[in-house]
Every structure is written in structure tokens, then in C-alpha cells.
Amino acid sequence: MRERAEALSGTGVALAGGFVGLLGWAADAELRARAGFEPGPDWSVLYAELPLTVLGGVLAALAAWLLPRRWTAGPSAAGYTGRVVIVAIVLTGFWLAVQGWYAGLPEPVPDHKP
């Protein structure tokens, strides 16, 4: 039973990390996609940034979930609560880092022809 609970909680943590990665990517995705080279859209926003940001969120969440497990001896409610708090802190930091990364990019200037 403990293995099933651990697998389900790990799956939930991975889904939460992917969702946070998706939210971080989606904030200004339309602006970044429209700032393509010449008249076309920038497809790397969809094909490169989206999977990397979602994968980064999943990996950050799973690392935060699994690392404290090595230092705790047995399953306890306080242990699970501590792990959930650590995951929440790591995912908040990941989301803020993604937002800071995208905020540091140069502002796209739309082409206006007179």
C-alpha cells in the first residue's frame, strides 16, 4: 500500500510541476511568438521553450519530492507535509525564475510600415 501511495503522490507532484512549467511559459508566449524574424512567427517558442519549461518544472518538482526522502527514516504525516512544503517552495521559485528569465528578454518591437 505504501508503494502505491508513493507512486500516486509522485505522479501528482510531476503533474503539478508540469502545470507550473506550463503556466510560466504561457505568461507572454503570444508576445514572444509574434516577435519572430521578419514577417513570420517565432516557432521556437512552441517547439523549444514549451517542452523545456514543462520538463524543467517536472524535474524540479520530482527532485524536491525525492531528495528529502533519502533523509527521512519512515513514513509519517510530518514527513509528507514537509515534502509538500518543499515542493511548493521549489515550484514557486521555479515559476519566479521562469518569469524573471522571460522578463529579461528584449521587448519585441512590432513592425509598422508607414
Side-chain angles (χ1 to χ4, degrees):
M1 184 69 176
R2 179 172 184 249
E3 291 85 15
R4 182 178 292 177
E6 190 72 24
L8 286 175
S9 61
T11 303
V13 165
L15 286 172
F19 186 69
V20 167
L22 181 65
L23 286 177
W25 171 83
D28 290 330
E30 184 180 358
L31 280 173
R32 293 190 314 271
R34 290 180 189 257
F37 182 70
E38 294 186 1
D42 184 9
W43 290 105
S44 70
V45 171
L46 181 65
Y47 293 127
E49 291 178 12
L50 173 62
L52 289 174
T53 307
V54 170
L55 183 63
V58 169
L59 292 177
L62 286 177
W65 181 254
L66 293 175
L67 283 178
R69 184 174 184 230
R70 304 183 115 238
W71 297 304
T72 58
S76 67
Y80 283 123
T81 304
R83 287 168 66 185
V84 168
V85 168
I86 291 172
V87 168
I89 290 170
V90 166
L91 286 180
T92 302
F94 177 77
W95 185 78
L96 289 172
V98 167
Q99 293 304 307
W101 171 263
Y102 289 138
L105 294 177
E107 283 291 321
V109 178
D111 293 334
H112 291 290
K113 296 183 180 176

